[in-house]
Amino acid sequence: MGPQFVSGVIVKIISTEPLPGRKQIKDALAVLAEVAYVDMLEGDTECHVRFKTPEDAQTVMKSHKEIQIKNTWKFEVLTGDHEQRYWQKILVDRQAKLNQPREKKRGTEKV
């Protein structure tokens, strides 16, 4: 089924230097709110974080000053056209992943 469109749950993080790994970002933000997914490439300077609810995204936005002191991250909630395009990207990426040919292994080969 995949993620359902909910407005105001995507927060874009922009950094002046490469961001840490996906897990470090998730752990840093999970203290404040429930993180659904972190979308980033290794060594990138920006990423998108999807939260469970718009309230979670707002909580992070309100307390971003504390996070900003520790890291040089800027936060913005995606809205309007940017948000629509990002949700399209989620669906396209998901389809691409699901359509990828999978290598089938037999029982003894898996081990």
PDB file of all heavy atoms in Angstrom, residues 62-97:
ATOM      1  N   LYS A  62       9.520  23.516  16.292  1.00  0.00           N
ATOM      2  CA  LYS A  62       9.542  24.395  17.469  1.00  0.00           C
ATOM      3  C   LYS A  62      10.853  24.250  18.240  1.00  0.00           C
ATOM      4  O   LYS A  62      11.374  25.225  18.772  1.00  0.00           O
ATOM      5  CB  LYS A  62       8.358  24.091  18.386  1.00  0.00           C
ATOM      6  CG  LYS A  62       7.044  24.617  17.850  1.00  0.00           C
ATOM      7  CD  LYS A  62       5.917  24.420  18.837  1.00  0.00           C
ATOM      8  CE  LYS A  62       4.593  24.768  18.227  1.00  0.00           C
ATOM      9  NZ  LYS A  62       3.726  23.606  18.032  1.00  0.00           N
ATOM     10  N   SER A  63      11.349  23.032  18.343  1.00  0.00           N
ATOM     11  CA  SER A  63      12.559  22.816  19.147  1.00  0.00           C
ATOM     12  C   SER A  63      13.801  22.708  18.269  1.00  0.00           C
ATOM     13  O   SER A  63      14.830  22.218  18.721  1.00  0.00           O
ATOM     14  CB  SER A  63      12.394  21.569  20.002  1.00  0.00           C
ATOM     15  OG  SER A  63      12.000  20.491  19.208  1.00  0.00           O
ATOM     16  N   HIS A  64      13.714  23.164  17.010  1.00  0.00           N
ATOM     17  CA  HIS A  64      14.880  23.046  16.115  1.00  0.00           C
ATOM     18  C   HIS A  64      16.048  23.907  16.560  1.00  0.00           C
ATOM     19  O   HIS A  64      17.170  23.640  16.196  1.00  0.00           O
ATOM     20  CB  HIS A  64      14.485  23.360  14.666  1.00  0.00           C
ATOM     21  CG  HIS A  64      14.417  24.814  14.338  1.00  0.00           C
ATOM     22  ND1 HIS A  64      13.359  25.602  14.702  1.00  0.00           N
ATOM     23  CD2 HIS A  64      15.297  25.614  13.703  1.00  0.00           C
ATOM     24  CE1 HIS A  64      13.585  26.834  14.280  1.00  0.00           C
ATOM     25  NE2 HIS A  64      14.753  26.876  13.672  1.00  0.00           N
ATOM     26  N   LYS A  65      15.804  24.920  17.382  1.00  0.00           N
ATOM     27  CA  LYS A  65      16.899  25.778  17.858  1.00  0.00           C
ATOM     28  C   LYS A  65      17.914  24.950  18.653  1.00  0.00           C
ATOM     29  O   LYS A  65      19.112  25.103  18.470  1.00  0.00           O
ATOM     30  CB  LYS A  65      16.353  26.907  18.736  1.00  0.00           C
ATOM     31  CG  LYS A  65      15.600  27.969  17.947  1.00  0.00           C
ATOM     32  CD  LYS A  65      16.561  29.027  17.407  1.00  0.00           C
ATOM     33  CE  LYS A  65      15.848  30.134  16.698  1.00  0.00           C
ATOM     34  NZ  LYS A  65      15.765  29.979  15.255  1.00  0.00           N
ATOM     35  N   GLU A  66      17.396  24.058  19.505  1.00  0.00           N
ATOM     36  CA  GLU A  66      18.300  23.212  20.313  1.00  0.00           C
ATOM     37  C   GLU A  66      19.120  22.293  19.414  1.00  0.00           C
ATOM     38  O   GLU A  66      20.319  22.111  19.624  1.00  0.00           O
ATOM     39  CB  GLU A  66      17.491  22.355  21.292  1.00  0.00           C
ATOM     40  CG  GLU A  66      16.703  23.166  22.284  1.00  0.00           C
ATOM     41  CD  GLU A  66      15.416  22.465  22.704  1.00  0.00           C
ATOM     42  OE1 GLU A  66      15.433  21.233  22.847  1.00  0.00           O
ATOM     43  OE2 GLU A  66      14.409  23.164  22.886  1.00  0.00           O
ATOM     44  N   ILE A  67      18.467  21.726  18.398  1.00  0.00           N
ATOM     45  CA  ILE A  67      19.169  20.830  17.483  1.00  0.00           C
ATOM     46  C   ILE A  67      20.181  21.633  16.670  1.00  0.00           C
ATOM     47  O   ILE A  67      21.283  21.178  16.403  1.00  0.00           O
ATOM     48  CB  ILE A  67      18.178  20.122  16.534  1.00  0.00           C
ATOM     49  CG1 ILE A  67      17.158  19.317  17.343  1.00  0.00           C
ATOM     50  CG2 ILE A  67      18.911  19.198  15.573  1.00  0.00           C
ATOM     51  CD1 ILE A  67      16.001  18.793  16.532  1.00  0.00           C
ATOM     52  N   GLN A  68      19.788  22.857  16.299  1.00  0.00           N
ATOM     53  CA  GLN A  68      20.655  23.694  15.478  1.00  0.00           C
ATOM     54  C   GLN A  68      21.932  24.085  16.210  1.00  0.00           C
ATOM     55  O   GLN A  68      22.968  24.264  15.593  1.00  0.00           O
ATOM     56  CB  GLN A  68      19.892  24.956  15.064  1.00  0.00           C
ATOM     57  CG  GLN A  68      20.112  25.323  13.633  1.00  0.00           C
ATOM     58  CD  GLN A  68      19.134  26.399  13.170  1.00  0.00           C
ATOM     59  OE1 GLN A  68      18.375  26.942  13.951  1.00  0.00           O
ATOM     60  NE2 GLN A  68      19.170  26.685  11.898  1.00  0.00           N
ATOM     61  N   ILE A  69      21.849  24.211  17.539  1.00  0.00           N
ATOM     62  CA  ILE A  69      23.038  24.543  18.329  1.00  0.00           C
ATOM     63  C   ILE A  69      24.040  23.387  18.237  1.00  0.00           C
ATOM     64  O   ILE A  69      25.229  23.592  18.036  1.00  0.00           O
ATOM     65  CB  ILE A  69      22.652  24.845  19.799  1.00  0.00           C
ATOM     66  CG1 ILE A  69      21.840  26.143  19.843  1.00  0.00           C
ATOM     67  CG2 ILE A  69      23.887  24.939  20.680  1.00  0.00           C
ATOM     68  CD1 ILE A  69      21.103  26.371  21.149  1.00  0.00           C
ATOM     69  N   LYS A  70      23.525  22.152  18.360  1.00  0.00           N
ATOM     70  CA  LYS A  70      24.396  20.982  18.295  1.00  0.00           C
ATOM     71  C   LYS A  70      24.908  20.730  16.879  1.00  0.00           C
ATOM     72  O   LYS A  70      26.026  20.312  16.673  1.00  0.00           O
ATOM     73  CB  LYS A  70      23.643  19.737  18.784  1.00  0.00           C
ATOM     74  CG  LYS A  70      23.521  19.665  20.292  1.00  0.00           C
ATOM     75  CD  LYS A  70      22.970  18.334  20.725  1.00  0.00           C
ATOM     76  CE  LYS A  70      21.459  18.373  20.741  1.00  0.00           C
ATOM     77  NZ  LYS A  70      20.839  17.126  21.139  1.00  0.00           N
ATOM     78  N   ASN A  71      24.050  20.975  15.886  1.00  0.00           N
ATOM     79  CA  ASN A  71      24.405  20.734  14.481  1.00  0.00           C
ATOM     80  C   ASN A  71      24.144  22.014  13.692  1.00  0.00           C
ATOM     81  O   ASN A  71      23.429  22.887  14.138  1.00  0.00           O
ATOM     82  CB  ASN A  71      23.527  19.615  13.901  1.00  0.00           C
ATOM     83  CG  ASN A  71      23.518  18.386  14.776  1.00  0.00           C
ATOM     84  OD1 ASN A  71      24.504  17.701  14.904  1.00  0.00           O
ATOM     85  ND2 ASN A  71      22.383  18.112  15.402  1.00  0.00           N
ATOM     86  N   THR A  72      24.699  22.092  12.502  1.00  0.00           N
ATOM     87  CA  THR A  72      24.462  23.283  11.678  1.00  0.00           C
ATOM     88  C   THR A  72      23.346  22.988  10.679  1.00  0.00           C
ATOM     89  O   THR A  72      23.506  23.201   9.480  1.00  0.00           O
ATOM     90  CB  THR A  72      25.748  23.684  10.930  1.00  0.00           C
ATOM     91  OG1 THR A  72      26.189  22.532  10.190  1.00  0.00           O
ATOM     92  CG2 THR A  72      26.821  24.156  11.884  1.00  0.00           C
ATOM     93  N   TRP A  73      22.218  22.484  11.173  1.00  0.00           N
ATOM     94  CA  TRP A  73      21.110  22.103  10.307  1.00  0.00           C
ATOM     95  C   TRP A  73      20.066  23.200  10.241  1.00  0.00           C
ATOM     96  O   TRP A  73      19.768  23.844  11.232  1.00  0.00           O
ATOM     97  CB  TRP A  73      20.436  20.841  10.819  1.00  0.00           C
ATOM     98  CG  TRP A  73      21.321  19.638  10.904  1.00  0.00           C
ATOM     99  CD1 TRP A  73      22.595  19.509  10.431  1.00  0.00           C
ATOM    100  CD2 TRP A  73      21.005  18.385  11.525  1.00  0.00           C
ATOM    101  NE1 TRP A  73      23.081  18.253  10.701  1.00  0.00           N
ATOM    102  CE2 TRP A  73      22.133  17.544  11.370  1.00  0.00           C
ATOM    103  CE3 TRP A  73      19.889  17.885  12.166  1.00  0.00           C
ATOM    104  CZ2 TRP A  73      22.155  16.244  11.843  1.00  0.00           C
ATOM    105  CZ3 TRP A  73      19.909  16.594  12.643  1.00  0.00           C
ATOM    106  CH2 TRP A  73      21.043  15.779  12.477  1.00  0.00           C
ATOM    107  N   LYS A  74      19.479  23.379   9.067  1.00  0.00           N
ATOM    108  CA  LYS A  74      18.325  24.266   8.906  1.00  0.00           C
ATOM    109  C   LYS A  74      17.132  23.384   8.576  1.00  0.00           C
ATOM    110  O   LYS A  74      17.251  22.423   7.819  1.00  0.00           O
ATOM    111  CB  LYS A  74      18.566  25.249   7.751  1.00  0.00           C
ATOM    112  CG  LYS A  74      19.557  26.338   8.075  1.00  0.00           C
ATOM    113  CD  LYS A  74      19.633  27.340   6.924  1.00  0.00           C
ATOM    114  CE  LYS A  74      20.536  28.501   7.241  1.00  0.00           C
ATOM    115  NZ  LYS A  74      21.912  28.140   7.511  1.00  0.00           N
ATOM    116  N   PHE A  75      15.979  23.720   9.155  1.00  0.00           N
ATOM    117  CA  PHE A  75      14.771  22.911   8.958  1.00  0.00           C
ATOM    118  C   PHE A  75      13.711  23.705   8.209  1.00  0.00           C
ATOM    119  O   PHE A  75      13.566  24.895   8.428  1.00  0.00           O
ATOM    120  CB  PHE A  75      14.172  22.520  10.312  1.00  0.00           C
ATOM    121  CG  PHE A  75      15.010  21.568  11.100  1.00  0.00           C
ATOM    122  CD1 PHE A  75      16.095  22.019  11.844  1.00  0.00           C
ATOM    123  CD2 PHE A  75      14.723  20.214  11.106  1.00  0.00           C
ATOM    124  CE1 PHE A  75      16.875  21.137  12.576  1.00  0.00           C
ATOM    125  CE2 PHE A  75      15.493  19.331  11.836  1.00  0.00           C
ATOM    126  CZ  PHE A  75      16.571  19.790  12.565  1.00  0.00           C
ATOM    127  N   GLU A  76      12.976  23.017   7.340  1.00  0.00           N
ATOM    128  CA  GLU A  76      11.799  23.648   6.733  1.00  0.00           C
ATOM    129  C   GLU A  76      10.763  22.559   6.433  1.00  0.00           C
ATOM    130  O   GLU A  76      11.112  21.469   5.978  1.00  0.00           O
ATOM    131  CB  GLU A  76      12.161  24.439   5.481  1.00  0.00           C
ATOM    132  CG  GLU A  76      12.567  23.625   4.288  1.00  0.00           C
ATOM    133  CD  GLU A  76      12.897  24.482   3.074  1.00  0.00           C
ATOM    134  OE1 GLU A  76      13.858  25.263   3.170  1.00  0.00           O
ATOM    135  OE2 GLU A  76      12.206  24.359   2.055  1.00  0.00           O
ATOM    136  N   VAL A  77       9.495  22.859   6.743  1.00  0.00           N
ATOM    137  CA  VAL A  77       8.417  21.924   6.443  1.00  0.00           C
ATOM    138  C   VAL A  77       8.033  22.142   4.987  1.00  0.00           C
ATOM    139  O   VAL A  77       7.831  23.272   4.556  1.00  0.00           O
ATOM    140  CB  VAL A  77       7.189  22.164   7.356  1.00  0.00           C
ATOM    141  CG1 VAL A  77       6.027  21.268   6.953  1.00  0.00           C
ATOM    142  CG2 VAL A  77       7.545  21.922   8.812  1.00  0.00           C
ATOM    143  N   LEU A  78       7.961  21.044   4.222  1.00  0.00           N
ATOM    144  CA  LEU A  78       7.583  21.172   2.825  1.00  0.00           C
ATOM    145  C   LEU A  78       6.091  21.470   2.724  1.00  0.00           C
ATOM    146  O   LEU A  78       5.282  20.863   3.412  1.00  0.00           O
ATOM    147  CB  LEU A  78       7.879  19.880   2.052  1.00  0.00           C
ATOM    148  CG  LEU A  78       9.340  19.514   1.834  1.00  0.00           C
ATOM    149  CD1 LEU A  78       9.437  18.358   0.852  1.00  0.00           C
ATOM    150  CD2 LEU A  78      10.146  20.680   1.314  1.00  0.00           C
ATOM    151  N   THR A  79       5.750  22.420   1.858  1.00  0.00           N
ATOM    152  CA  THR A  79       4.342  22.766   1.658  1.00  0.00           C
ATOM    153  C   THR A  79       4.082  22.957   0.170  1.00  0.00           C
ATOM    154  O   THR A  79       5.016  23.099  -0.623  1.00  0.00           O
ATOM    155  CB  THR A  79       3.975  24.089   2.381  1.00  0.00           C
ATOM    156  OG1 THR A  79       4.896  25.104   1.947  1.00  0.00           O
ATOM    157  CG2 THR A  79       4.054  23.941   3.888  1.00  0.00           C
ATOM    158  N   GLY A  80       2.826  22.974  -0.186  1.00  0.00           N
ATOM    159  CA  GLY A  80       2.412  23.281  -1.549  1.00  0.00           C
ATOM    160  C   GLY A  80       3.054  22.423  -2.610  1.00  0.00           C
ATOM    161  O   GLY A  80       3.060  21.194  -2.544  1.00  0.00           O
ATOM    162  N   ASP A  81       3.613  23.094  -3.627  1.00  0.00           N
ATOM    163  CA  ASP A  81       4.171  22.428  -4.795  1.00  0.00           C
ATOM    164  C   ASP A  81       5.342  21.518  -4.440  1.00  0.00           C
ATOM    165  O   ASP A  81       5.452  20.398  -4.947  1.00  0.00           O
ATOM    166  CB  ASP A  81       4.616  23.501  -5.797  1.00  0.00           C
ATOM    167  CG  ASP A  81       4.564  22.986  -7.221  1.00  0.00           C
ATOM    168  OD1 ASP A  81       3.738  22.098  -7.484  1.00  0.00           O
ATOM    169  OD2 ASP A  81       5.367  23.463  -8.041  1.00  0.00           O
ATOM    170  N   HIS A  82       6.237  21.999  -3.560  1.00  0.00           N
ATOM    171  CA  HIS A  82       7.397  21.194  -3.150  1.00  0.00           C
ATOM    172  C   HIS A  82       6.936  19.899  -2.503  1.00  0.00           C
ATOM    173  O   HIS A  82       7.489  18.830  -2.763  1.00  0.00           O
ATOM    174  CB  HIS A  82       8.275  21.965  -2.158  1.00  0.00           C
ATOM    175  CG  HIS A  82       8.939  23.162  -2.758  1.00  0.00           C
ATOM    176  ND1 HIS A  82       9.934  23.066  -3.702  1.00  0.00           N
ATOM    177  CD2 HIS A  82       8.745  24.480  -2.552  1.00  0.00           C
ATOM    178  CE1 HIS A  82      10.323  24.269  -4.061  1.00  0.00           C
ATOM    179  NE2 HIS A  82       9.607  25.159  -3.382  1.00  0.00           N
ATOM    180  N   GLU A  83       5.911  20.017  -1.658  1.00  0.00           N
ATOM    181  CA  GLU A  83       5.385  18.838  -0.958  1.00  0.00           C
ATOM    182  C   GLU A  83       4.783  17.850  -1.963  1.00  0.00           C
ATOM    183  O   GLU A  83       5.049  16.647  -1.894  1.00  0.00           O
ATOM    184  CB  GLU A  83       4.327  19.289   0.050  1.00  0.00           C
ATOM    185  CG  GLU A  83       3.853  18.173   0.953  1.00  0.00           C
ATOM    186  CD  GLU A  83       2.872  18.662   2.003  1.00  0.00           C
ATOM    187  OE1 GLU A  83       2.070  19.576   1.709  1.00  0.00           O
ATOM    188  OE2 GLU A  83       2.916  18.134   3.114  1.00  0.00           O
ATOM    189  N   GLN A  84       3.996  18.351  -2.916  1.00  0.00           N
ATOM    190  CA  GLN A  84       3.388  17.484  -3.934  1.00  0.00           C
ATOM    191  C   GLN A  84       4.457  16.744  -4.729  1.00  0.00           C
ATOM    192  O   GLN A  84       4.362  15.537  -4.941  1.00  0.00           O
ATOM    193  CB  GLN A  84       2.533  18.321  -4.911  1.00  0.00           C
ATOM    194  CG  GLN A  84       1.289  18.913  -4.304  1.00  0.00           C
ATOM    195  CD  GLN A  84       0.274  17.856  -3.923  1.00  0.00           C
ATOM    196  OE1 GLN A  84       0.225  16.780  -4.516  1.00  0.00           O
ATOM    197  NE2 GLN A  84      -0.530  18.152  -2.918  1.00  0.00           N
ATOM    198  N   ARG A  85       5.497  17.480  -5.147  1.00  0.00           N
ATOM    199  CA  ARG A  85       6.569  16.867  -5.928  1.00  0.00           C
ATOM    200  C   ARG A  85       7.309  15.812  -5.118  1.00  0.00           C
ATOM    201  O   ARG A  85       7.701  14.768  -5.648  1.00  0.00           O
ATOM    202  CB  ARG A  85       7.552  17.927  -6.427  1.00  0.00           C
ATOM    203  CG  ARG A  85       7.121  18.492  -7.771  1.00  0.00           C
ATOM    204  CD  ARG A  85       8.224  19.308  -8.336  1.00  0.00           C
ATOM    205  NE  ARG A  85       8.447  20.405  -7.393  1.00  0.00           N
ATOM    206  CZ  ARG A  85       8.633  21.654  -7.712  1.00  0.00           C
ATOM    207  NH1 ARG A  85       8.686  22.007  -8.948  1.00  0.00           N
ATOM    208  NH2 ARG A  85       8.796  22.586  -6.813  1.00  0.00           N
ATOM    209  N   TYR A  86       7.525  16.089  -3.828  1.00  0.00           N
ATOM    210  CA  TYR A  86       8.238  15.117  -2.997  1.00  0.00           C
ATOM    211  C   TYR A  86       7.421  13.844  -2.829  1.00  0.00           C
ATOM    212  O   TYR A  86       7.957  12.743  -2.891  1.00  0.00           O
ATOM    213  CB  TYR A  86       8.620  15.708  -1.630  1.00  0.00           C
ATOM    214  CG  TYR A  86       9.454  14.725  -0.866  1.00  0.00           C
ATOM    215  CD1 TYR A  86      10.770  14.488  -1.236  1.00  0.00           C
ATOM    216  CD2 TYR A  86       8.912  13.968   0.154  1.00  0.00           C
ATOM    217  CE1 TYR A  86      11.536  13.534  -0.589  1.00  0.00           C
ATOM    218  CE2 TYR A  86       9.667  13.016   0.816  1.00  0.00           C
ATOM    219  CZ  TYR A  86      10.974  12.802   0.431  1.00  0.00           C
ATOM    220  OH  TYR A  86      11.723  11.842   1.061  1.00  0.00           O
ATOM    221  N   TRP A  87       6.105  13.975  -2.643  1.00  0.00           N
ATOM    222  CA  TRP A  87       5.254  12.787  -2.515  1.00  0.00           C
ATOM    223  C   TRP A  87       5.263  11.977  -3.815  1.00  0.00           C
ATOM    224  O   TRP A  87       5.231  10.754  -3.786  1.00  0.00           O
ATOM    225  CB  TRP A  87       3.833  13.164  -2.093  1.00  0.00           C
ATOM    226  CG  TRP A  87       3.747  13.349  -0.615  1.00  0.00           C
ATOM    227  CD1 TRP A  87       3.821  14.509   0.072  1.00  0.00           C
ATOM    228  CD2 TRP A  87       3.600  12.318   0.380  1.00  0.00           C
ATOM    229  NE1 TRP A  87       3.738  14.271   1.431  1.00  0.00           N
ATOM    230  CE2 TRP A  87       3.595  12.953   1.651  1.00  0.00           C
ATOM    231  CE3 TRP A  87       3.481  10.938   0.333  1.00  0.00           C
ATOM    232  CZ2 TRP A  87       3.469  12.250   2.842  1.00  0.00           C
ATOM    233  CZ3 TRP A  87       3.354  10.232   1.530  1.00  0.00           C
ATOM    234  CH2 TRP A  87       3.352  10.887   2.756  1.00  0.00           C
ATOM    235  N   GLN A  88       5.315  12.683  -4.960  1.00  0.00           N
ATOM    236  CA  GLN A  88       5.438  11.980  -6.245  1.00  0.00           C
ATOM    237  C   GLN A  88       6.734  11.185  -6.275  1.00  0.00           C
ATOM    238  O   GLN A  88       6.764  10.045  -6.707  1.00  0.00           O
ATOM    239  CB  GLN A  88       5.425  12.971  -7.420  1.00  0.00           C
ATOM    240  CG  GLN A  88       4.066  13.469  -7.805  1.00  0.00           C
ATOM    241  CD  GLN A  88       3.119  12.329  -8.146  1.00  0.00           C
ATOM    242  OE1 GLN A  88       2.073  12.197  -7.531  1.00  0.00           O
ATOM    243  NE2 GLN A  88       3.476  11.508  -9.109  1.00  0.00           N
ATOM    244  N   LYS A  89       7.824  11.804  -5.791  1.00  0.00           N
ATOM    245  CA  LYS A  89       9.122  11.143  -5.751  1.00  0.00           C
ATOM    246  C   LYS A  89       9.055   9.889  -4.882  1.00  0.00           C
ATOM    247  O   LYS A  89       9.594   8.849  -5.243  1.00  0.00           O
ATOM    248  CB  LYS A  89      10.187  12.105  -5.217  1.00  0.00           C
ATOM    249  CG  LYS A  89      11.565  11.492  -5.095  1.00  0.00           C
ATOM    250  CD  LYS A  89      12.493  12.392  -4.300  1.00  0.00           C
ATOM    251  CE  LYS A  89      13.834  11.778  -4.023  1.00  0.00           C
ATOM    252  NZ  LYS A  89      13.823  10.539  -3.273  1.00  0.00           N
ATOM    253  N   ILE A  90       8.367   9.981  -3.744  1.00  0.00           N
ATOM    254  CA  ILE A  90       8.224   8.817  -2.855  1.00  0.00           C
ATOM    255  C   ILE A  90       7.574   7.674  -3.625  1.00  0.00           C
ATOM    256  O   ILE A  90       8.048   6.538  -3.592  1.00  0.00           O
ATOM    257  CB  ILE A  90       7.365   9.161  -1.615  1.00  0.00           C
ATOM    258  CG1 ILE A  90       8.118  10.097  -0.672  1.00  0.00           C
ATOM    259  CG2 ILE A  90       6.953   7.888  -0.870  1.00  0.00           C
ATOM    260  CD1 ILE A  90       7.286  10.580   0.508  1.00  0.00           C
ATOM    261  N   LEU A  91       6.479   7.973  -4.324  1.00  0.00           N
ATOM    262  CA  LEU A  91       5.753   6.927  -5.052  1.00  0.00           C
ATOM    263  C   LEU A  91       6.584   6.345  -6.190  1.00  0.00           C
ATOM    264  O   LEU A  91       6.602   5.130  -6.393  1.00  0.00           O
ATOM    265  CB  LEU A  91       4.425   7.481  -5.580  1.00  0.00           C
ATOM    266  CG  LEU A  91       3.444   7.932  -4.492  1.00  0.00           C
ATOM    267  CD1 LEU A  91       2.218   8.584  -5.117  1.00  0.00           C
ATOM    268  CD2 LEU A  91       3.036   6.772  -3.601  1.00  0.00           C
ATOM    269  N   VAL A  92       7.311   7.202  -6.916  1.00  0.00           N
ATOM    270  CA  VAL A  92       8.152   6.737  -8.023  1.00  0.00           C
ATOM    271  C   VAL A  92       9.285   5.856  -7.487  1.00  0.00           C
ATOM    272  O   VAL A  92       9.548   4.767  -8.016  1.00  0.00           O
ATOM    273  CB  VAL A  92       8.724   7.935  -8.820  1.00  0.00           C
ATOM    274  CG1 VAL A  92       9.820   7.508  -9.772  1.00  0.00           C
ATOM    275  CG2 VAL A  92       7.609   8.643  -9.575  1.00  0.00           C
ATOM    276  N   ASP A  93       9.949   6.307  -6.420  1.00  0.00           N
ATOM    277  CA  ASP A  93      11.039   5.528  -5.818  1.00  0.00           C
ATOM    278  C   ASP A  93      10.540   4.179  -5.332  1.00  0.00           C
ATOM    279  O   ASP A  93      11.208   3.158  -5.499  1.00  0.00           O
ATOM    280  CB  ASP A  93      11.674   6.281  -4.649  1.00  0.00           C
ATOM    281  CG  ASP A  93      12.517   7.466  -5.097  1.00  0.00           C
ATOM    282  OD1 ASP A  93      12.679   7.655  -6.322  1.00  0.00           O
ATOM    283  OD2 ASP A  93      12.999   8.210  -4.216  1.00  0.00           O
ATOM    284  N   ARG A  94       9.366   4.182  -4.724  1.00  0.00           N
ATOM    285  CA  ARG A  94       8.784   2.954  -4.184  1.00  0.00           C
ATOM    286  C   ARG A  94       8.478   1.970  -5.313  1.00  0.00           C
ATOM    287  O   ARG A  94       8.780   0.784  -5.218  1.00  0.00           O
ATOM    288  CB  ARG A  94       7.518   3.294  -3.408  1.00  0.00           C
ATOM    289  CG  ARG A  94       6.955   2.136  -2.647  1.00  0.00           C
ATOM    290  CD  ARG A  94       5.859   2.592  -1.695  1.00  0.00           C
ATOM    291  NE  ARG A  94       5.429   1.464  -0.914  1.00  0.00           N
ATOM    292  CZ  ARG A  94       4.583   0.535  -1.377  1.00  0.00           C
ATOM    293  NH1 ARG A  94       4.078   0.633  -2.585  1.00  0.00           N
ATOM    294  NH2 ARG A  94       4.246  -0.486  -0.617  1.00  0.00           N
ATOM    295  N   GLN A  95       7.874   2.469  -6.413  1.00  0.00           N
ATOM    296  CA  GLN A  95       7.576   1.620  -7.566  1.00  0.00           C
ATOM    297  C   GLN A  95       8.852   1.034  -8.144  1.00  0.00           C
ATOM    298  O   GLN A  95       8.917  -0.146  -8.454  1.00  0.00           O
ATOM    299  CB  GLN A  95       6.841   2.402  -8.657  1.00  0.00           C
ATOM    300  CG  GLN A  95       5.345   2.385  -8.568  1.00  0.00           C
ATOM    301  CD  GLN A  95       4.756   1.019  -8.303  1.00  0.00           C
ATOM    302  OE1 GLN A  95       4.142   0.822  -7.269  1.00  0.00           O
ATOM    303  NE2 GLN A  95       4.942   0.068  -9.183  1.00  0.00           N
ATOM    304  N   ALA A  96       9.890   1.881  -8.277  1.00  0.00           N
ATOM    305  CA  ALA A  96      11.161   1.422  -8.827  1.00  0.00           C
ATOM    306  C   ALA A  96      11.731   0.297  -7.971  1.00  0.00           C
ATOM    307  O   ALA A  96      12.240  -0.703  -8.491  1.00  0.00           O
ATOM    308  CB  ALA A  96      12.143   2.574  -8.913  1.00  0.00           C
ATOM    309  N   LYS A  97      11.631   0.457  -6.656  1.00  0.00           N
ATOM    310  CA  LYS A  97      12.163  -0.563  -5.749  1.00  0.00           C
ATOM    311  C   LYS A  97      11.361  -1.854  -5.866  1.00  0.00           C
ATOM    312  O   LYS A  97      11.928  -2.950  -5.904  1.00  0.00           O
ATOM    313  CB  LYS A  97      12.128  -0.050  -4.307  1.00  0.00           C
ATOM    314  CG  LYS A  97      12.749  -1.033  -3.344  1.00  0.00           C
ATOM    315  CD  LYS A  97      12.750  -0.524  -1.936  1.00  0.00           C
ATOM    316  CE  LYS A  97      13.410  -1.576  -1.054  1.00  0.00           C
ATOM    317  NZ  LYS A  97      13.215  -1.383   0.334  1.00  0.00           N
TER     318      LYS A  97
END
